[in-house]
Amino acid sequence: MASRRMAEESIYRIPPYHYIHVLDQNTNVARVEIGPKTYIRQDNERVLFPPEKMIVVPPRHYCIIQNPVVRDDDLKVVFDELGQAKLRHADQEVRLAQDPFPLHPGEEVRQTVSPLQIVLPNTALRLQALLDFESESGEKRVAGDEWIFEGPGTYIPQKEVEVVETIQATVIRHNQAIRLRARKETRDREGTKRFTGEEWLVKKVGAYLPGVYEEVVDIVDAIVLTEKNALHIRASRTFKDDNGIVRKTGEEWLVTMKDTEAHIPNVYEEVVGIIDITTLNSRQYCVILDPVGPNGKPQLGQKKVVKGEKSFFLQPGELLESGIQDVYILSEEEGLVLKANEAFKDVDENGKEVERRPGDRWMIRGPLDYVPPAEVEVLLKRQAIPLDENEGIYVRDIKSGKVRAVIGETYMLTQDEELWEKVLPGNVEALLMAGKDPLADRSDRSRGTEEPKVRDKTRVVSYRVPHNAAVQVYDYREKKSRVVFGPEMVMLGPDEQFTVLSLSGDTPKRSNVIKTICLLLGPDFCTDIINIETADHARLQLKLSYNWHFEVKDQKDEADAAKIFSVPDFVGDACKAIASRIRGAVASVNFDDFHKNSNRIICSAVFGYDDNMKVRSSFRFVQNSLVITSVDIQTVEPVDQRTRDSLQKSVQLAIEITTNSQEAAARHEAERLEQEARGRLERQKISDQAEAERARKELLELEALSTAVESTGAAKAEAQSKAEAARIEGEGAVQQAKLKAEALEIETNAELMRLSKAREHELGFLSAKNKLETEKVKELAEIEVKKFHEMVASIGSNTLRDIAMAGPELQVKLLKGLGLQSTLITDGSTPINLFSTAHGLLGMVPKSIEPKSDDE
């Protein structure tokens, strides 16, 4: 619609600084019409667009025109033969501040009016040439060339130049540097030639603007060094450091505070780590592996011992063998076992020089402090082991292998000795660690729930044999045994072991129930249950208890002492032997006889008869000297059910008869007690009635006496009360008078004392006051006298004389000046000595007055 209206309009009013494009449809040529004007369109013409405002480029602005027109030397537009403005197709033109201009047909605005780019200080533009051209300064640029435009300044765009990026300056602070890399061969700002890919540091403090072919890789902070740390550095390639030292590839070194307080690693320096200082006090040392020699190279395979007090840094390649170690401080009870790893010369405890060969072992003893040389290895630190007379340790000689026990002395192992662990059988170990008393806990079959104690196997195995007990110890090397009777402490040798007894236990007896080391000698008892059968086939169960003991005639006799351990299970053996005898004896008697004479039958069966056909008092086992002294029948129970029932019926009948007789006796006793209680009750009633009558008689007598007292007591009481009141009143008046007299006397004495004290204090005050005033006057007088003396002394006698004579001399000089011989001046009120005056008037006064001497 707008184009149709535009085509229909014929008059166009073009305002100032506006323009239109007019197309001649006959020649198909477009031209520009610039205002201000009124344009009348011809019929063969067509206006392409309504009036548009010219392009205004203000100062410090620019725009880019695509396909600009061709201009001649006078900057006028060049037209072709048809009148069409010539264009530079596919070209661009940068137009800066100028008068408003229109766009010719074919021209396009590639970039609208924009402010010129201001390059600030410490900023630059990296530019690249798009075409070959020659700059205004005459410098030729080839397409692809790059350069920078540094600020401060205003960059004016060019069609041949492209702005690649804006470069900001990097601020380098103290203890900082920037790492640069060359993108291609160039020269840095100091004129040094740099190759492509080369890196370097810039440490100058301030803002650094990278060159066109320089790029900032990183900002490197300095590592601040102190006296307590150092920098471990490795060279990544051969170069020369800041101190002018050539460092080869892979070389490592330390940078300490002596070299620099803050180190910025070079581009070819790799920071391996920060090494802390190693500080040794006077009681410490360390062993350095692969130490660095005087030539600065590590001495591989060698060691170096450093003693305190000292502080140092470990050089690259050096290691501490076991860290910082304390000096071995040995007391009198301590020692060190040493081993030589290399041949060297040493000094022994006596100060003699000793040659040590590799593998030698020796020991040093305290008191001393010891630092092992690099050739010496400390194998062990020995501590003297204090041993009581009942304590010991097992010691083995590592050269000969011989084991011995050291008991009852403080002992320190030598260099060729070690502690030997004695291994005991498991059952012996368990019995020793159980901690049970062989006598008190002999019937305890329970196993402790606590964790078993761990025995020190290097200590001599000891066992306390209680009183009236014995322990057998067997020496496997000597192949003989010994028996120790208590109370005694048993200490095992290296090749000795305890003999473990496995005894029968429980009721009835079972084998291998009791495990023990200690054999009790008795007297003691054991209980067993046996089954027997009588001649009439009555089966019974007997529970028997035997008292026993071991009879050892001479405990020092080894053969006699060893007999008690000849039977491993003496309990089971004795119970079986006794049970066999009892069964044999009971099998020949009936149940009734056995029931009536069970004790006699069993005792005779067990003990037997002597030559006099009397039952013996004991039963002796010859093989182990065990003696059974008595047999106690605790229970007899039938095993057969019918026998048990009949026996139970007879027992119940006997119990019933006994119960009835006891009931009759009890009933008779109760009736007797009841009769006695009734008699005592009747006697108590009679005695209570007699007592009541006596109390009633006393009451009547008291009532009569109270009536008589009541009738005569009223008058008597009134008279007594009045007399008592009068007496009390008189005594009160007398007492009051006495108290008033005493009070008056006290007041008078107090007043007298007060006045005397007041007078006494007043006299004291006046005397003290007078004394103080006297002292004051005296001191003032002394002060005045002292003041006068000091004034006179300070002025001097000559000065006083001159002051005294100054007046007369002045008068004489005045008279001499006036020419007068004498004169008299008075005020009429002061008396005058005319005798001396007359002498003066007569001229008898001497002409000059001589000053008096000090003596006058």
Side-chain angles (χ1 to χ4, degrees):
M1 295 295 293
S3 60
R4 185 178 301 172
R5 261 196 325 271
M6 196 187 314
E8 292 176 355
E9 291 180 359
S10 58
I11 298 175
Y12 292 88
R13 293 175 176 81
I14 304 174
Y17 301 110
H18 285 66
Y19 71 96
I20 61 172
H21 284 182
V22 179
L23 176 65
D24 189 346
Q25 295 182 352
N26 293 333
T27 60
N28 203 22
V29 174
R31 68 179 187 277
V32 177
E33 295 292 339
I34 301 173
K37 66 184 298 185
T38 300
Y39 174 73
I40 299 175
R41 180 180 63 81
Q42 302 296 325
D43 293 338
N44 60 337
E45 293 176 344
R46 183 168 64 88
V47 177
L48 298 179
F49 50 83
E52 287 189 0
K53 191 175 182 180
M54 293 183 180
I55 297 175
V56 179
V57 181
R60 303 190 64 80
H61 286 66
Y62 77 100
C63 68
I64 299 177
I65 304 300
Q66 183 75 21
N67 304 324
V69 295
V70 180
R71 297 180 184 272
D72 56 12
D73 295 338
D74 297 332
L75 300 179
K76 292 183 179 180
V77 179
V78 177
F79 296 93
D80 58 7
E81 62 275 6
L82 298 176
Q84 178 74 39
K86 291 184 177 182
L87 302 177
R88 290 181 294 172
H89 294 282
D91 198 359
Q92 295 179 357
E93 181 181 350
V94 179
R95 296 182 184 179
L96 303 177
Q98 55 182 292
D99 294 335
F101 62 90
L103 288 179
H104 289 275
E107 289 183 336
E108 298 176 3
V109 178
R110 177 67 180 272
Q111 181 173 338
T112 59
V113 178
S114 304
L116 292 174
Q117 187 172 357
I118 299 174
V119 182
L120 301 176
N122 297 327
T123 308
L125 299 177
R126 186 156 69 91
L127 307 177
Q128 185 178 14
L130 300 176
L131 302 172
D132 297 344
F133 73 100
E134 185 175 350
S135 64
E136 295 179 356
S137 60
E139 186 177 0
K140 293 183 179 180
R141 303 285 186 184
V142 182
D145 283 353
E146 293 184 359
W147 68 98
I148 60 174
F149 179 81
E150 298 184 10
T154 302
Y155 173 70
I156 299 176
Q158 293 177 302
K159 66 177 183 179
E160 300 89 354
V161 180
E162 177 187 10
V163 178
V164 179
E165 64 175 346
T166 302
I167 303 174
Q168 299 290 338
T170 303
V171 179
I172 304 174
R173 297 182 175 87
H174 288 285
N175 295 331
Q176 273 189 345
I178 58 173
R179 187 172 182 176
L180 302 177
R181 182 191 295 126
R183 295 190 295 114
K184 64 179 292 186
E185 292 185 5
T186 182
R187 290 185 180 273
D188 59 13
R189 292 189 179 275
E190 295 181 357
T192 305
K193 188 174 182 180
R194 303 293 182 182
F195 298 97
T196 304
E198 183 181 356
E199 295 183 358
W200 69 98
L201 295 180
V202 177
K203 302 178 181 179
K204 186 178 180 181
V205 178
Y208 182 81
L209 195 62
V212 60
Y213 295 117
E214 297 174 357
E215 61 179 353
V216 178
V217 178
D218 192 9
I219 297 177
V220 182
D221 292 325
I223 300 175
V224 180
L225 302 176
T226 63
E227 295 179 352
K228 296 183 178 181
N229 56 23
L231 201 59
H232 184 187
I233 295 178
R234 181 190 298 124
S236 60
R237 58 167 289 182
T238 302
F239 73 102
K240 184 181 291 185
D241 62 9
D242 296 338
N243 298 325
I245 302 174
V246 177
R247 304 291 185 181
K248 295 184 179 181
T249 304
E251 182 180 353
E252 297 181 1
W253 69 96
L254 290 184
V255 178
T256 63
M257 190 177 179
K258 296 180 180 179
D259 302 325
T260 178
E261 294 182 356
H263 181 73
I264 300 176
N266 197 291
V267 293
Y268 302 119
E269 293 178 353
E270 178 184 351
V271 178
V272 179
I274 296 178
I275 306 298
D276 293 329
I277 194 169
T278 302
T279 303
L280 304 176
N281 59 27
S282 59
R283 292 298 176 187
Q284 291 178 334
Y285 76 98
C286 64
V287 180
I288 300 177
L289 302 178
D290 304 332
V292 175
N295 58 354
K297 304 297 182 182
Q299 302 174 351
L300 301 179
Q302 296 189 12
K303 296 181 180 180
K304 179 182 177 183
V305 178
V306 180
K307 303 177 183 179
E309 299 175 352
K310 191 172 184 181
S311 296
F312 63 94
F313 292 102
L314 287 177
Q315 297 296 324
E318 293 182 343
L319 293 174
L320 294 181
E321 186 176 22
S322 299
I324 297 176
Q325 305 178 51
D326 293 331
V327 174
Y328 291 96
I329 301 175
L330 305 179
S331 64
E332 294 182 356
E333 305 298 329
E334 292 179 331
L336 289 178
V337 178
L338 307 177
K339 178 183 177 182
N341 295 326
E342 300 178 13
F344 73 103
K345 292 184 179 180
D346 191 12
V347 178
D348 60 6
E349 298 177 354
N350 299 324
K352 296 181 180 180
E353 186 173 330
V354 180
E355 185 175 353
R356 305 289 186 186
R357 293 177 298 175
D360 283 353
R361 290 166 61 102
W362 71 98
M363 184 173 179
I364 59 173
R365 298 174 182 268
L368 56 84
D369 50 354
Y370 181 73
V371 177
E375 301 85 2
V376 176
E377 177 185 357
V378 178
L379 297 179
L380 292 171
K381 184 176 181 181
R382 297 290 195 197
Q383 183 81 30
I385 304 173
L387 301 174
D388 191 17
E389 60 182 5
N390 292 328
E391 294 180 332
I393 55 174
Y394 296 111
V395 179
R396 181 173 68 177
D397 192 324
I398 60 176
K399 289 185 176 180
S400 63
K402 184 178 180 181
V403 180
R404 62 190 178 94
V406 179
I407 300 173
E409 61 176 327
T410 299
Y411 187 76
M412 182 187 296
L413 300 176
T414 65
Q415 68 272 13
D416 297 325
E417 293 178 342
E418 66 178 1
L419 291 175
W420 180 74
E421 294 185 354
K422 182 176 179 62
V423 179
L424 297 176
N427 54 353
V428 177
E429 192 83 41
L431 291 172
L432 291 176
M433 293 295 104
K436 292 184 178 181
D437 190 338
L439 186 61
D441 300 331
R442 63 186 186 277
S443 60
D444 186 7
R445 304 286 185 269
S446 62
R447 294 183 179 180
T449 58
E450 299 180 357
E451 294 183 0
K453 299 179 181 178
V454 179
R455 180 180 64 88
D456 186 358
K457 297 182 179 181
T458 61
R459 292 278 178 166
V460 171
V461 179
S462 60
Y463 184 78
R464 290 180 176 85
V465 183
H467 176 69
N468 203 21
V471 171
Q472 187 181 40
V473 178
Y474 187 79
D475 190 337
Y476 285 90
R477 185 175 63 179
E478 300 293 337
K479 299 188 184 313
K480 64 179 182 179
S481 62
R482 60 187 174 97
V483 177
V484 180
F485 292 92
E488 186 62 60
M489 172 71 77
V490 179
M491 304 188 76
L492 294 185
D495 300 309
E496 291 181 336
Q497 293 288 350
F498 288 112
T499 298
V500 180
L501 300 176
S502 181
L503 305 179
S504 298
D506 290 343
T507 303
K509 288 292 180 281
R510 294 185 297 109
S511 60
N512 299 325
V513 173
I514 301 173
K515 304 288 185 180
T516 182
I517 296 174
C518 178
L519 176 62
L520 301 179
L521 301 180
D524 203 346
F525 70 93
C526 64
T527 304
D528 192 13
I529 296 176
I530 63 174
N531 294 327
I532 61 174
E533 186 174 355
T534 60
D536 53 358
H537 302 290
R539 300 182 64 189
L540 302 176
Q541 187 180 68
L542 303 181
K543 185 175 182 181
L544 306 176
S545 179
Y546 316 122
N547 287 343
W548 59 267
H549 69 274
F550 284 97
E551 188 176 284
V552 181
K553 296 180 181 179
D554 187 6
Q555 295 183 354
K556 296 181 180 180
D557 187 359
E558 294 183 0
D560 194 14
K563 287 177 64 177
I564 61 177
F565 289 93
S566 60
V567 178
D569 186 5
F570 74 92
V571 175
D573 183 67
C575 289
K576 288 178 182 178
I578 294 172
S580 176
R581 289 193 172 201
I582 294 173
R583 290 193 189 98
V586 173
S588 61
V589 297
N590 294 325
F591 173 74
D592 293 335
D593 294 339
F594 176 76
H595 188 66
K596 296 176 182 178
N597 305 310
S598 58
N599 185 46
R600 180 180 59 80
I601 295 171
I602 291 176
C603 288
S604 61
V606 174
F607 300 117
Y609 295 96
D610 59 5
D611 297 337
N612 299 324
M613 298 304 295
K614 292 183 179 180
V615 179
R616 294 189 180 95
S617 61
S618 63
F619 174 39
R620 180 181 178 87
F621 292 87
V622 180
Q623 63 270 24
N624 62 346
S625 299
L626 177 65
V627 178
I628 306 296
T629 58
S630 67
V631 178
D632 180 22
I633 304 172
Q634 294 182 347
T635 60
V636 178
E637 294 181 359
V639 178
D640 187 18
Q641 185 65 34
R642 291 177 299 173
T643 307
R644 183 179 299 176
D645 293 341
S646 61
L647 181 62
Q648 187 174 4
K649 289 179 181 180
S650 63
V651 170
Q652 289 178 354
L653 182 60
I655 292 173
E656 185 175 355
I657 294 170
T658 304
T659 303
N660 292 332
S661 63
Q662 289 178 354
E663 287 181 358
R667 187 165 52 252
H668 181 270
E669 184 68 20
E671 291 176 356
R672 185 181 64 79
L673 293 175
E674 185 179 1
Q675 293 295 330
E676 291 179 357
R678 287 178 181 176
R680 286 196 298 271
L681 180 61
E682 292 295 332
R683 289 196 301 271
Q684 185 67 31
K685 287 181 178 181
I686 295 170
S687 62
D688 290 343
Q689 289 177 359
E691 188 68 26
E693 289 297 330
R694 283 195 298 270
R696 187 168 178 276
K697 178 182 177 182
E698 292 177 359
L699 178 62
L700 293 175
E701 291 176 355
L702 290 175
E703 286 179 354
L705 181 59
S706 63
T707 304
V709 170
E710 184 178 358
S711 60
T712 60
K716 184 178 179 181
E718 185 176 359
Q720 288 179 352
S721 62
K722 288 182 180 181
E724 186 67 24
R727 185 183 62 79
I728 293 172
E729 186 175 357
E731 290 178 355
V734 173
Q735 186 69 21
Q736 185 176 9
K738 287 181 179 181
L739 293 175
K740 286 183 179 180
E742 291 177 358
L744 182 59
E745 183 181 1
I746 292 171
E747 290 179 357
T748 305
N749 292 336
E751 184 65 22
L752 179 60
M753 187 179 294
R754 185 185 69 79
L755 291 175
S756 63
K757 291 290 184 180
R759 297 296 179 269
E760 183 180 348
H761 287 296
E762 185 176 0
L763 289 174
F765 171 72
L766 291 176
S767 62
K769 181 178 180 183
N770 294 334
K771 185 178 180 181
L772 290 174
E773 289 180 354
T774 304
E775 291 178 355
K776 177 180 179 183
V777 172
K778 184 179 179 180
E779 289 179 357
L780 289 175
E782 290 177 356
I783 291 171
E784 289 297 331
V785 172
K786 186 177 180 182
K787 176 181 179 184
F788 181 75
H789 282 299
E790 291 178 354
M791 290 176 61
V792 171
S794 62
I795 295 173
S797 59
N798 294 332
T799 306
L800 292 174
R801 186 193 64 187
D802 293 342
I803 292 173
M805 296 178 65
E809 288 182 356
L810 183 61
Q811 291 176 4
V812 172
K813 290 180 181 180
L814 181 61
L815 292 174
K816 284 182 180 181
L818 295 175
L820 298 177
Q821 295 295 324
S822 64
T823 181
L824 177 65
I825 301 172
T826 180
D827 56 359
S829 62
T830 305
I832 302 172
N833 187 358
L834 295 178
F835 294 99
S836 60
T837 304
H839 286 290
L841 292 174
L842 294 176
M844 297 176 68
V845 180
K847 295 182 180 180
S848 62
I849 300 173
E850 297 180 359
K852 295 180 181 181
S853 63
D854 295 339
D855 296 337
E856 293 179 355

